[in-house]
Structure formats: structure tokens, C-alpha cells
Amino acid sequence: MRPIASVDEYRTLVKQNKQRLGKVRTNCMLMPRAFARPASAGRLSFAQYEDGLLVRVDEGAYANLYYYWRPEAPLPHLRDAVPLYVEETGETDAKRRAFLEDAGFVLQKRNVQYVLARDDWGECVEGTMDEGYTLARCTDEALASQVVLLWERRLGLADIPLAHKEFLAQGDAVWCALDPSGELAGAIWWQDAGKTRLMRHIVVDERHTRRGLAKALLALCATDAWQTGMLKVSTWISDANHASIALHEGMGFCATSRVVMQFVAE
């Protein structure tokens, strides 16, 4: 693959290929500006085929793959030094799943969107946790590094892209749960977009589960969202993560019809 040096180059490539291919299908729902950081860091590259354009984002131990493809054409089998991840929306479209499986990708996770509106927050305002634990905004660089390591260990490669690590290191939207000795026990990370708070990840160290930390972090994040003018909070949960689903539904979150499937090719 060849490098893409800037967002403008990315925009030009996409435009040219849409004109070349006519009608295209894509798994890319990101705004062009989302590629600014990886492009400037030399982590963005592309390849053109007769029937499509592939854009690869290097995330260190793996790579995300985006494509613009002629609808009826197959996706070629790809080889890479690291696992390739692809996200697709709309599980009801069996062709989308077959399209990727035929190219050697395997369905790894099916994520469902859950949403909570401010007016539906109800009485569940506070989350209780065991005595001795405290919640604090992550403002220390060393603590931010610990948060990243915890996420990597508990959630896996696909959940922590390099750009997200850089964001986490800033600590602007990360709250931590600390154990009685002051050590990291859990964390929640979010981003605000318009009037919606996007809760990216919530994770608790396996040594500190069943102490009310996840609920307390979630309640803090939502309460802070309402106080800062947000109208709703949104998150994505794997349909196999029954504990997280129960936690969120117990606090008023409702599943929507939006689904994202994550595929991987080793």
C-alpha cells in the first residue's frame, strides 16, 4: 500500500474512485477530519484495485481497514503483518456479512447501540460502591498510562487504537475509580458530540469487580453529562456482554436498532 500524506489527499482519492467506480458501497462512516492525525503521523495508506479503493489505518498491533467498493464485486483476500479489522453496519443485510467472509474475515463481535435520554434518568442518580474506593478525574500522565494498559488487558486490541491512546493520555474525559490504597481499579472514558455524550469504554480491574465501581462510574458520567447540558448519553455494547447489558438496562438505557459488526482477518 502507498502512504496518504494528508486529509486533502484522502478526499481526492475518495472522490476520484467514486467517479471511477460509479455507485459504491463503503464501511466508512467517518468524517475526513478523522483521518488527519493518522495521515500526519504516517499511519494512513491506500491501495486501488479495479473494483475498489482500500484505506488502511495502522494502529500498531493491528490495522483498521476501510473500503469503497463496486457493490457486486468481491473483496480480494488480503495479507498483512498484523490482524486487519473491519466494521460493518446493518446485520440484517446478509450480503454484507458474506462479502467479508468470502474475503477471509471472521465475525468477532456484534455491538448494539444503547441510549439513555436525560428525561429518562429517573431516580437512579447515584451509584454506590464499597467503602474506601474513590472516584477522580484522570489528570496525571502516569495514571493515564495505567488506564491504557488496563483497557488493553481487559478489552482487547480493537478497542484501543493509537489515536484513542493519545486522547486518553490527555485525561480530559476520563474518570477513574481508585482503591483504598490509591491504585487504579477502574475507569470510564467518553467524548461529547453536540448534545450527546458518547461513552466509549467502561472497564474494571478483575481484582475489583463486584464492588459497585462500574455502576458508580456510569452514574458519575451520566450525571456530569446532564450538568454540562447533554440531552442523552450513548454507548455500544457487545451482544455477548450480558453483564454490561444488565448494568446499563438497570440504569435506564434502551437498545436501539443500530448494530455494528466487527470482523477480523488474521
Side-chain angles (χ1 to χ4, degrees):
M1 288 191 169
R2 291 179 285 172
I4 300 176
S6 69
V7 171
D8 287 341
E9 185 178 345
Y10 167 78
R11 287 194 184 99
T12 299
L13 272 170
V14 172
K15 183 177 180 180
Q16 290 175 346
N17 277 271
K18 285 183 176 179
Q19 293 172 344
R20 177 174 69 91
L21 299 168
K23 182 180 179 182
V24 296
R25 56 159 302 155
T26 180
N27 70 322
C28 184
M29 303 302 172
L30 300 177
M31 298 294 290
R33 63 176 177 269
F35 294 108
R37 188 182 293 272
S40 64
R43 299 191 287 109
L44 196 63
S45 58
F46 77 97
Q48 294 186 91
Y49 296 85
E50 180 180 353
D51 292 303
L53 165 71
L54 299 176
V55 177
R56 180 187 184 276
V57 183
D58 179 10
E59 298 294 357
Y62 69 99
N64 279 324
L65 193 69
Y66 301 96
Y67 54 79
Y68 297 87
W69 210 258
R70 206 187 306 274
E72 301 305 320
L75 187 69
H77 278 254
L78 303 169
R79 293 186 178 182
D80 206 296
V82 296
L84 291 172
Y85 283 87
V86 169
E87 285 192 344
E88 262 286 6
T89 59
E91 189 188 23
T92 54
D93 187 349
K95 287 184 178 180
R96 295 191 177 194
R97 182 167 176 171
F99 171 74
L100 289 165
E101 290 177 339
D102 289 345
F105 286 86
V106 176
L107 180 63
Q108 184 185 58
K109 189 185 294 185
R110 177 182 179 272
N111 293 321
V112 179
Q113 184 191 44
Y114 282 76
V115 172
L116 173 66
R118 182 169 62 185
D119 292 343
D120 295 331
W121 183 229
E123 299 300 321
C124 191
V125 177
E126 299 295 335
T128 58
M129 56 187 177
D130 284 8
E131 185 176 352
Y133 286 86
T134 58
L135 302 181
R137 189 179 291 272
C138 181
T139 57
D140 179 81
E141 186 175 341
L143 182 59
S145 298
Q146 294 177 38
V147 171
V148 171
L149 292 175
L150 176 60
W151 255 301
E152 287 182 323
R153 189 175 79 247
R154 295 288 280 164
L155 298 180
L157 291 175
D159 293 300
I160 307 293
L162 291 176
H164 291 186
K165 291 180 183 179
E166 294 166 356
F167 178 87
L168 285 169
Q170 299 171 7
D172 292 337
V174 181
W175 280 85
C176 297
L178 305 177
D179 71 11
S181 67
E183 296 296 319
L184 179 68
I188 189 168
W189 162 47
W190 73 89
Q191 290 176 293
D192 289 340
K195 292 295 183 179
T196 299
R197 172 157 294 180
L198 308 174
M199 294 195 299
R200 294 298 190 185
H201 297 297
I202 181 170
V203 64
V204 174
D205 188 297
E206 57 267 44
R207 296 168 296 180
H208 300 278
T209 57
R210 300 185 182 279
R211 298 180 185 272
L213 303 186
K215 185 175 182 180
L217 286 164
L218 187 58
L220 173 63
C221 185
T223 301
D224 179 76
W226 313 142
Q227 293 174 347
T228 53
M230 298 294 113
L231 298 180
K232 64 180 179 179
V233 291
S234 171
T235 190
W236 292 87
I237 307 175
S238 166
D239 64 353
N241 192 344
H242 304 298
S244 184
I245 291 172
L247 168 66
H248 284 78
E249 288 183 341
M251 300 185 77
F253 283 78
C254 295
T256 73
S257 59
R258 296 186 65 189
V259 173
V260 169
M261 295 176 291
Q262 185 181 77
F263 294 79
V264 61
E266 298 290 350

